[in-house]
Amino acid sequence: MIKNYFRSAYRNIISNKLYSFINILGLSIGLICAIFISLFVKDELSYDKHNSKHKQIYRIESDFSIGGKRDMFAVTQIPMGPMLKNECPEVKQFVRLLNTDQQLIIVGDKQFYEQNIYVADSNFFEIFDAQLVYGTLERCLSDANSIVLTQTLAEKYFGKTDPAGKTIQTGDKESFKITAVIKDLPANTHTPFDALLSINFIIQRFGSERFNSMEAMNFWNVNVYTYLLLNENSSIKTVEDRFPALYEKYMASVGKMFNATFKPMFTNLADLHFNQTLGGDQPVGNKS
């Protein structure tokens, strides 16, 4: 019976060639479009889900009101992460990221200008996943003058050889030792860095107490991306509920001076791509 169906279809195609060609072409185009749309939607909906802990990771964002003017930012205060870890048992760990903007990198007698070099806390790879190519991820950002490269950047500087242990320089003649090379990040990530410097380099310059100071004035200057890793089965709502008391303890004295208020916003890592437009954020997608 199936053979009869095929014979009948073949005869119809042969006897109506133009009509059949138009139908088959339309069906093919429709299938191709459906496949591409499905792939695009899958890619958009899987942003940052390559991180195994993505359900426990939240970015802290800033909602300020000063003199009645409201501003919202994707970045937050330097001491916000340490403070929430100290005050909230739900917070297992925090990590901060700071974009260095354009950096001059010197490798031997060659110079390169790079845009996506970030500074990160030394525990970055305890929170975010990475696939190691060379070196080691254990304590790879502990030393102040350490740097982690993505594979593409490492091959750009050193070709296919193992660069772990070698040094590069920045434009201000600071030397950094390559402690690890990781595979390139997926394209659908909200933090597309090409290299990570240790935040300990900045702390070394300013001193730990000054850099992480929890004086009230330091909570009114936003400049770092901050991510929290919650303990399993902990709720970000509990952290939110704790914050009014923490605001009174750490921020209210300065807020009253400037007729200002602040509250944090918390967005799960997997939802960042469809987040509202915030100052200092990466480009976001549109779920609709």
Side-chain angles (χ1 to χ4, degrees):
M1 178 174 283
I2 294 176
K3 288 184 179 179
N4 290 334
Y5 286 142
F6 278 113
R7 287 195 191 101
S8 177
Y10 178 74
R11 287 171 186 156
N12 285 331
I13 291 171
I14 294 300
S15 60
N16 299 282
K17 292 181 180 179
L18 179 60
Y19 179 74
S20 298
F21 172 77
I22 293 172
N23 278 339
I24 293 171
L25 179 64
L27 178 61
S28 300
I29 293 172
L31 285 172
I32 291 170
C33 289
I35 290 170
F36 276 114
I37 290 171
S38 298
L39 290 173
F40 173 75
V41 170
K42 181 182 178 182
D43 184 74
E44 288 286 287
L45 294 176
S46 61
Y47 255 72
D48 288 306
K49 289 184 179 178
H50 65 280
N51 290 289
S52 59
K53 302 184 183 90
H54 70 265
K55 292 182 180 180
Q56 298 166 248
I57 301 173
Y58 288 81
R59 188 179 72 182
I60 313 173
E61 297 143 358
S62 302
D63 184 353
F64 283 100
S65 178
I66 301 177
K69 182 179 181 296
R70 187 184 184 193
D71 288 301
M72 294 186 291
F73 302 96
V75 287
T76 190
Q77 307 92 327
I78 287 174
M80 182 61 71
M83 182 272 285
L84 290 176
K85 183 178 184 299
N86 291 341
E87 296 280 1
C88 302
E90 298 80 15
V91 178
K92 182 176 182 179
Q93 194 52 274
F94 70 91
V95 67
R96 295 165 294 188
L97 277 175
L98 175 64
N99 193 339
T100 63
D101 297 320
Q102 183 171 268
Q103 277 283 345
L104 171 62
I105 300 296
I106 303 169
V107 183
D109 58 353
K110 296 180 180 178
Q111 295 185 354
F112 306 88
Y113 286 94
E114 306 294 351
Q115 298 286 346
N116 292 320
I117 295 181
Y118 283 71
V119 175
D121 280 296
S122 59
N123 62 347
F124 181 86
F125 294 109
E126 296 175 22
I127 297 176
F128 293 98
D129 293 351
Q131 297 183 54
L132 184 67
V133 180
Y134 300 115
T136 177
L137 290 179
E138 186 178 354
R139 298 179 58 81
C140 62
L141 290 173
S142 295
D143 186 78
N145 288 78
S146 57
I147 186 170
V148 174
L149 305 179
T150 57
Q151 190 170 10
T152 293
L153 203 62
E155 291 180 359
K156 177 179 176 181
Y157 297 159
F158 301 99
K160 299 286 186 179
T161 61
D162 178 358
K166 295 181 179 179
T167 60
I168 63 175
Q169 282 189 326
T170 55
D172 55 4
K173 302 303 180 182
E174 288 286 349
S175 294
F176 292 88
K177 181 180 177 181
I178 301 167
T179 52
V181 175
I182 61 172
K183 286 193 175 181
D184 292 358
L185 301 178
N188 56 347
T189 181
H190 205 68
T191 52
F193 63 83
D194 294 323
L196 289 179
L197 297 168
S198 174
I199 207 167
N200 291 331
F201 177 73
I202 300 176
I203 293 175
Q204 190 178 72
R205 286 190 168 186
F206 289 92
S208 180
E209 288 188 10
R210 180 183 171 192
F211 183 79
N212 291 311
S213 172
M214 294 189 189
E215 292 182 4
M217 190 62 74
N218 288 347
F219 282 91
W220 293 93
N221 182 27
V222 295
N223 45 21
V224 294
Y225 299 100
T226 304
Y227 300 84
L228 300 179
L229 176 66
L230 299 190
N231 289 301
E232 290 187 31
N233 302 319
S234 291
S235 170
I236 196 65
K237 180 67 166 56
T238 309
V239 179
E240 286 182 297
D241 291 343
R242 291 181 188 277
F243 193 78
L246 298 177
Y247 176 84
E248 290 299 320
K249 180 177 179 180
Y250 290 98
M251 301 182 65
S253 60
V254 172
K256 291 172 184 176
M257 290 169 54
F258 296 100
N259 187 27
T261 60
F262 169 85
K263 66 177 180 179
M265 301 176 289
F266 301 94
T267 303
N268 183 258
L269 183 67
D271 296 328
L272 286 178
H273 186 56
F274 297 114
N275 200 12
Q276 58 188 316
T277 301
L278 303 172
D281 205 355
Q282 299 284 352
V284 295
N286 188 328
K287 188 173 282 190
S288 65

